[in-house]
Each structure stands twice: as structure tokens, then as C-alpha cells.
Amino acid sequence: MTSPTPSEPASTPPAPPVPLAALLARRDLGLRLLTGSEDVPLHWVHTSEMADPYPYLLGGELLMTAGVLLTDPAHYVARVVEAGAAALGFGVTPVYDTVPAELVEACERHGLPLVEVPPKTPFTAVARALWRLMAEARLQELRRVTEAQQSLATAAARPAPVPAVLGALASRLGGRAVLFGADGTESAAAGRTVPAEAARALRGLVGVLGPRPGGPASASGDGGGLRLAAYALGGGDGLTLGVATERRDPGDHTIAGVAVVLLSLLTAPHRGADVTVRDGALVRLLLGAAPEEVADVLGAGPWTVVHARGGDGTPFAAAALAAALGTPLVDAGAGGRAGTGATGSGAGAGAAPGTTEAAPRAGTVRLLLPASAPDPAPQSGWTLGVAAPAPARDLAAADTEAARALRRAEASRTPLARHRPAGFAGLVDPAEAAAYARTLLAPLAEPLTETLRVWLSLHGSWDRTAVATGLHRNTVRQRIARCAALLDRDLDDPDVRMELWFALGSASG
């Protein structure tokens, strides 16, 4: 078994990488593989004519170049490989009529795939094709995760929920799911049988977690030719979920995270009848029930809806947050929302079926706190938005309040913000304000809108915006300049900034 490593984040599954073979299969591009494997995964495309592009590469790129400053192919390829680029695309003409033989030899020596880009194919066409392939792959992965979440929620409502959840998880991941007791023995299992070596390796991985306070709560590794992962449940009994699969897709951690939350609820000790009934209400909300349909089960309240973003990226982070806030009712989905008569991805406690508000952003955790829970307080590593206490029938409005409070907390960089009257913004009809905001911001595409929002929230700081968005400082400057040009506004004018800030809030709130 390989050494266990911390599990990857389990919020929205990232855009899956696209194999180079998928680009090569596009006949309209006319790409030709000169050397290397066509199975390497591509995460993005980057074009550079720098003599040494190393400082500008993140790894996993298809690096595109026409060789304008190519003087030492061997050194160039060594630096590209050192930076972690996945492949090199070389455009013939206007600088070279053919791909230099020295470059081909260097790529072959380093095992770097080299692709010839014909004169008729612009680099931007290659980049656009990759983005489209990634978008298609991401959509398929999101659909898979959504269907898996629905399947797990349905299983949790069955008469024997624990075996049903394990069975649904094993089926969706195409492997085996095992619930281990505190002593490391199998308590329940589902899915196909795995080789003895893999079973031993999985038990060993579970042993790495253990019941030690402060110890790791998740780990992953390999054994018996399978990919292994283990997750500690949050019920307090030392139970652990083990998973063995042939492959590990980007959304698998999200799916396993939902199973961890459900199994933690289903196996929690001292589950009184009222808790069982309320957990049943949670499952009904997960399945898309409107709040008013479960109001009698949930009780009169008042209930407090909390939206949260942050955590340590592990699948059980949301469950730990829920325990800290004193509630078992948590939606750790990817920001989906159920609609009336339909089920959305992760539409859980505090969901507002039928509401016209925009769905929560990816990575948002929603919680429903009963009246008996303590007043929400800031939690380390999290940013919280807290709605005003409300009866069960008003959960939809409270859900919207929590979303707005979370946005305000993030904009003001505070750990917790509570719902408050709208102030000056409340003097304007929300529908009228939203219509004006949409018209004002219509020229901006989503990337420009988000960059502008972050830049305004950080008082026009280029460096802080670059860090917050993960963009290069020059890219931030270019985007903000583009916003100013498209909006025909002077972004140095405080009045303009204020107007745009209110417009962004109205458009998203």
C-alpha cells in the first residue's frame, strides 16, 4: 500500500482534465503527435513566446509556442518539463517551416509529448476546443455527482438505511464500500469483492485514522491494484467508511462526502425518537420536499438558516461544522437547490424549493439550526452568513437572507455576518433594482463580473485581487480595464464604484 495522503477537497468537483487524444481526434484542428503519449491529461492551454516560460507555468498545461525565441531546444524542453507542463504544441510558420529536429529529439528524450500545429490552425482554436471539451466533461461529472447524491438520499430513507447507503455508494463509485467499527472489524459492506491484498490495505488505511483525538480524519492510498480512501464518521463511535475503487474521478470525493454525512447521522449514538423524525425530515428536504410540507415534523421553530463557505476541504468538514453549531441538519452539497416537484443537487436543510433566487454558489454549505441550538458564533476556517430566526414555513425567505449575509461577510472579510435590514438598498424595489443591475452589467461576461466584484470588495487593490482570484496581477488589470471600456465608466470615480457595487449586489441577491 502506498503511503496514505490527505483526501482532496470535496466541494464542487473540478473540471476533469481532458486527454491529449481528445484534442488530436478533432479533425478540424489538424494536430499531429510527433512524439510522446497521447494519454497525458491536459488541464489548460497556455501560449508563450518567452525564451524561458518556466516562471509562468502552473503545471498540466498544453504549452503553445511558435518558437520565436527558441535558441536552445534542449534547455527549453528541460525547463518546460521542470515546470510540469503536460505537452508542447509547436506552430509551424511564420518562424519555422517544420518542427526543429532538435526540439523533437529533446521532447523524446524527456518523454514530453510534442504536437505539431499546422499553419491553418490558430492557437486560440486549440484553446477553445480544449475549454469546450473540459466544459462537456465537467457537465457530465456534475450530472454524475447529482445523480449519486440523489441515490444516496433515497437510500437513507429506506427501512435499512445504512446498508442501503453503502450499496448506493458502492454502485455509484463502481467498487466496494465498507463500514468499519472502532476495533477495525467490518460492520457492514456492499459492492463487489476486492482482492485480499486490497482488503488488507484498506484495513491498514482505516487504522491510520483511528479514534485518536486530533488525528487525521481522512486518508487515501493504493493497494492491490485499487484506489483506496478512508473517512472517519462524525457520530463519535469511532466508525470509519472505507472505499476501494479501480479509479478515482474528480467527483468521487464529493459523493463520498455526502455518504459520510448521511452515515454520520444514521449511526450517531443516543438517537431519540424526535431526532430520528427530524432526520427523516432532512431526508425529505434532500429529496426536494418544500419546507411547508415538513413544517409539522420540524416543529414550529423558530429555525435559523446558516450559509457557510470554507472549511479544510475534507468531506467531513461540513459535518464537523454542523456539530459545532448544534444541528444534524446540514446540506453539504455543491450549492444545488431543489425546486418544487423536482430534486436538485444537494438540496438539503434550509433549502428553499420554488424560490426564484439564484442557487447558492458552489462550495456553499447550508445548515438548519433548531431553537435549542446555541446562537451561531464564528467558526475557525469558515465564513458564515446567518439569517434571522424564522418559522418553518418561512425557510425560503430565511435561506435568501443567509445567502445575502454570507456575501456581505465575504465582501467585508469578516468571519460571520447576520441578516439585517437592507438600509438604503431597501428604499429601492428589489425587482426594479435587479432589472437595472442586469441592464447595467449586461456587457460583462461572468469572468469579468466576478473579477470586478472581487476588485471592488478589496477597494481596488490589484495584488489582493490577484491573490483572491488566482489570477496574475496583469490579468486583473486587463480585466478591470476591459470592464471600464465595456461599461463606459470611470472606475476611479467613487460614485461609479458605489453604483457598480450596489448593482452587483442587486443582480446576485
Side-chain angles (χ1 to χ4, degrees):
M1 184 183 78
T2 60
S3 299
T5 58
S7 295
E8 301 167 14
S11 54
T12 304
V18 173
L20 176 58
L23 271 183
L24 296 174
R26 291 282 301 265
R27 294 186 178 181
D28 58 312
L29 297 178
L31 305 178
R32 186 164 67 99
L33 182 65
L34 301 182
T35 184
S37 171
E38 65 177 15
D39 296 327
V40 295
L42 304 178
H43 292 266
W44 41 69
V45 173
H46 180 71
T47 300
S48 174
E49 296 301 339
M50 302 290 292
D52 181 9
Y54 176 92
Y56 304 97
L57 301 180
L58 296 176
E61 305 95 341
L62 170 60
L63 175 62
M64 309 284 288
T65 182
V68 175
L69 298 179
L70 182 65
T71 58
D72 186 348
H75 177 72
Y76 182 86
V77 171
R79 291 289 283 170
V80 170
V81 171
E82 185 181 357
L88 178 64
F90 194 89
V92 295
T93 69
V95 183
Y96 291 86
D97 293 331
T98 60
V99 180
E102 296 88 346
L103 185 67
V104 178
E105 293 172 0
C107 287
E108 186 173 17
R109 185 166 59 253
H110 286 276
L112 179 68
L114 177 61
V115 177
E116 179 187 78
V117 183
K120 67 176 183 178
T121 303
F123 286 178
T124 53
V126 178
R128 183 185 305 165
L130 180 63
W131 302 146
R132 288 179 176 174
L133 289 170
M134 292 182 70
E136 292 172 1
R138 177 176 172 78
L139 179 59
Q140 293 176 357
E141 188 68 359
L142 286 174
R143 286 175 176 168
R144 184 179 76 93
V145 170
T146 297
E147 292 171 357
Q149 290 176 325
Q150 174 66 24
S151 176
L152 290 168
T154 302
R158 290 175 181 164
V162 171
V165 169
L166 290 174
L169 179 63
S171 174
R172 291 294 174 173
L173 298 186
R176 185 169 180 80
V178 183
L179 183 63
F180 291 92
D183 57 357
T185 59
E186 289 193 11
S187 175
R192 58 188 181 184
T193 304
V194 300
E197 181 183 351
R200 287 194 300 270
L202 185 59
R203 284 195 297 271
L205 193 65
V206 168
V208 171
L209 304 185
R212 304 184 308 277
S218 70
S220 61
D222 300 297
L226 298 178
R227 309 298 297 273
L228 310 175
Y231 309 91
L233 302 191
D237 278 346
L239 301 179
T240 307
L241 171 65
V243 178
T245 58
E246 291 186 353
R247 52 184 293 179
R248 186 175 297 150
D249 293 321
D252 287 353
H253 283 284
T254 303
I255 296 171
V258 174
V260 167
V261 172
L262 291 174
L263 290 172
S264 297
L265 291 171
L266 294 169
T267 60
H270 313 303
R271 293 171 53 84
D274 58 334
V275 176
T276 302
V277 171
R278 284 182 179 175
D279 286 354
L282 167 62
V283 172
R284 292 179 62 190
L285 285 171
L286 283 168
L287 295 175
E292 55 269 20
E293 295 178 11
V294 296
D296 292 340
V297 176
L298 290 175
W303 296 89
T304 301
V305 178
V306 177
H307 281 208
R309 288 176 64 82
D312 58 9
T314 53
F316 50 84
L321 174 64
L325 294 179
T327 179
L329 304 183
V330 57
D331 166 21
R337 180 188 296 247
T340 302
T343 302
S345 166
T355 180
T356 59
E357 292 290 337
R361 293 163 296 160
T364 299
V365 174
R366 295 185 292 176
L367 306 101
L368 190 59
L369 277 59
S372 58
D375 189 46
Q379 301 295 319
S380 177
W382 291 91
T383 301
L384 307 180
V386 182
R393 66 176 180 275
D394 293 335
L395 285 179
D399 190 45
T400 301
E401 291 178 0
R404 289 173 175 166
L406 177 59
R407 293 191 189 98
R408 191 171 70 254
E410 291 180 317
S412 59
R413 305 175 74 85
T414 57
L416 184 148
R418 301 179 186 275
H419 169 71
R420 65 187 184 192
F424 282 112
L427 301 177
V428 182
D429 178 76
E432 183 180 349
Y436 175 77
R438 286 192 295 269
T439 301
L440 175 62
L441 301 173
L444 304 184
E446 177 58 30
L448 293 178
T449 302
E450 186 58 26
T451 303
L452 178 61
R453 184 195 311 277
V454 176
W455 183 74
L456 289 174
S457 72
L458 297 176
H459 310 292
S461 170
W462 307 110
D463 292 333
R464 291 167 63 192
T465 303
V467 172
T469 58
L471 299 171
H472 191 277
R473 189 174 187 271
N474 291 340
T475 302
V476 173
R477 284 185 174 274
Q478 292 169 2
R479 287 192 178 185
I480 296 303
R482 183 64 175 160
C483 290
L486 292 173
L487 297 173
D488 192 22
R489 295 287 200 281
D490 179 9
L491 298 187
D492 289 329
D493 187 333
D495 291 336
V496 172
R497 291 193 183 191
M498 181 178 68
E499 181 184 30
L500 291 174
W501 180 249
F502 278 117
L504 289 166
S506 298
S508 62

